[in-house]
Amino acid sequence: MNAVINKDRLWESLMQLAEIGATPKGGVCRISLSDEDRRARDLFCTWARDAGCDIRIDAIGNIFARRPGNDAAAAPVVTGSHIDSQPLGGKFDGAYGVMAGLEVVRALNDAGIETAAPLEIVDWTDEEGARFAAGCIGSGVFSGHRDLNDALSLSDAEGTTVADALREIGYAGDIAPGSIPFKAYFEAHIEQGPVLEAAGLPIGTVIGAQGQRCFMVTLTGVDGHAGTLPMAKRQDTFVGTAKITVALSELAATYDPPAVITVGHVRVSPNSRNTIPGRTVFTIDSRHPDTDVLQRMEADITRICTDIAKADGLELQMDAVTRAEPVAFDPGCVDAVRTACRERQIRFMDIHSGAGHDACKIAAVAPTGMIFVPCEDGISHNELESARAEDLATGAQVLLDAMVKVAG
Ligand code: GLV
Ligand code: MN
Ligand code: MN
């Protein structure tokens, strides 16, 4: 029994999916719960049904596509990722994990192989956090990290809630999130960093991921005339935001690598050339593999925001939108990935994830592992993100072998 991944079919599916929300420089814009996300979800559902899967949608919009096993009572072995993207994202971040799952099912169908436990492919809702700031909303609710009603009431910059957006695209399902127990969860993903490429290795067996603290910050000052108000009298929230941004960048440098802090989203109001910005909303994303360090970083970030706001006469509101602890993946799942590599004589290395993933949430409720493949120059969250068809197929083959071994 040998089910073999079809490299060209996997590549073709990724390229077809990437046509939905395609951007001029070869990336995708498939913001969570947008019309592009809906079209990509519809296509995935069509392909999964054509491959013999049953589709179910839960109340936070996660899509589950099940390939039945011959033991109907067994918990499924699950794989997946996300098909939403950054505003200027790449073709592979997330999409690869979902398409790799689909290719696993197609390859098993071709080989006429039935597993004991069912296999399941998931598209998790809003992994990226580009629209509702939080990120990993679907997997977070599924795993109990986030309350369903809180998640449904999160709103985007226009005031549209997750609940409204789910209804609008027709993906507000009826099954309760978390009601499907998993035998195991494996997620394939591009590395999004330079390590595997530099090592010349096609596979990273992911042993864990760093933690995050993310904040939504609002500075309130006073709108004013750009031509008449003397500099000394201004309460300019964009100047305050700029000072905080520079101070946080300097703060990150005082910690040892891999400490990172990013101000990635800024909304200036009223955003007019000749009005002093009286209100600015921005995000802070901080990460480190060690919880104690994360806590110290959070205290430093809070102090910096408080001090600068006070000195500039600005009102500060700071909400933690994500507090995710560092994750260690399940030794059994990590080993299943290593064994799959060894059995096909595929070279691999253990690796840590700098990015957050749905797998980091699912690790709390099911034995979980991840498979990384290299991406060109380590570039991700960028339209130019690229990966080799060969490596993507190798990752999917390792995924297939690990899933089949665990499913029996
Ligand atoms: C997801 O892409 C993240 O790491 O924030
Ligand atoms: Mn991703
Ligand atoms: Mn991403």
Side-chain angles (χ1 to χ4, degrees), residues 129-149:
R131 178 171 179 187
F132 300 98
C136 289
I137 292 179
S139 53
V141 170
F142 183 92
S143 58
H145 287 88
R146 234 175 242 291
D147 175 72
L148 172 63
N149 289 318

Side-chain angles (χ1 to χ4, degrees), residues 82 86 93 127-128 189 192 356 380-381:
H82 57 98
Q86 290 290 318
D93 175 3
E127 188 272 353
E128 291 289 6
H189 207 286
Q192 307 183 274
S380 187
H381 285 195

